[in-house]
Amino acid sequence: MTSNFAFVGRNIYSKLGMTSTKDENLNGANLFAVMSCIAVVLLAPFPFIMEGTSFITGWNAVTSGAGAAITSAKLAQTIGISGLFFHMYQEVAFLALDSVHPVTHSVANTVKRVVIIVTSIIVFKNPVTQANALGSAIAILGVLLYSLIKNYYAEKEAKKA
């Protein structure tokens, strides 16, 4: 729930930055680049502070010895590819945010999460708890209500014109 509020806040303030600036070069892609650079500078020290040398111990436990789950090179490659795909996902999300209203973007993000949950239930045969079912139902109901209300007011405005 906290992450949803954080993403909505980020979307709203990012959209304000995209629309209120006098600089024509601050579009979605450029704003994302600026925010990514700031995030790296602000957050890069935290893993070293929080993890310390336990990161190296954990890395060695996974990648060395007779029962090694993965090689160091393969683990580094997997982490790098994962980071690249997440970066591309975030880049596309900012490009979408540049094109739509922040609320619409947040609703689409909620729908995406429901689709991921339903897909994981079908593909991976994950058990459905009552909390999962309730959360998905609330998300679907919220998207439905948002769409109905948005269409209602759009039709109302069209009749006035």
Side-chain angles (χ1 to χ4, degrees):
M1 187 65 120
T2 305
S3 70
N4 285 338
F5 285 118
F7 284 124
V8 169
R10 182 198 70 178
N11 291 344
I12 290 170
Y13 286 113
S14 295
K15 187 67 172 189
L16 285 173
M18 289 177 207
T19 57
S20 67
T21 183
K22 293 181 170 96
D23 186 3
E24 62 188 43
N25 291 327
L26 193 59
N27 59 16
N30 290 340
L31 180 62
F32 178 68
V34 169
M35 288 180 63
S36 294
C37 291
I38 292 170
V40 166
V41 169
L42 291 177
L43 298 176
F46 283 98
F48 301 108
I49 294 168
M50 301 299 290
E51 297 291 328
T53 59
S54 65
F55 170 78
I56 296 168
T57 306
W59 183 281
N60 290 336
V62 172
T63 60
S64 60
I70 192 169
T71 65
S72 286
K74 185 69 174 171
L75 181 57
Q77 178 187 20
T78 303
I79 291 170
I81 290 171
S82 175
L84 175 66
F85 279 121
F86 186 73
H87 178 80
M88 290 189 311
Y89 158 72
Q90 290 293 328
E91 182 87 27
V92 169
F94 261 76
L95 292 172
L97 180 60
D98 198 17
S99 302
V100 298
H101 191 274
V103 175
T104 303
H105 188 269
S106 296
V107 168
N109 190 41
T110 302
V111 170
K112 176 200 71 172
R113 290 175 185 210
V114 171
V115 168
I116 289 171
I117 291 169
V118 170
T119 302
S120 75
I121 290 168
I122 293 169
V123 172
F124 301 116
K125 309 283 191 253
N126 288 341
V128 181
T129 65
Q130 287 181 339
N132 289 353
L134 180 64
S136 295
I138 289 171
I140 292 168
L141 180 64
V143 169
L144 174 66
L145 289 174
Y146 171 76
S147 299
L148 291 174
I149 291 169
K150 186 175 179 181
N151 288 339
Y152 171 78
Y153 283 107
E155 289 174 6
K156 196 173 181 180
E157 288 294 319
K159 287 179 183 177
K160 282 185 181 179

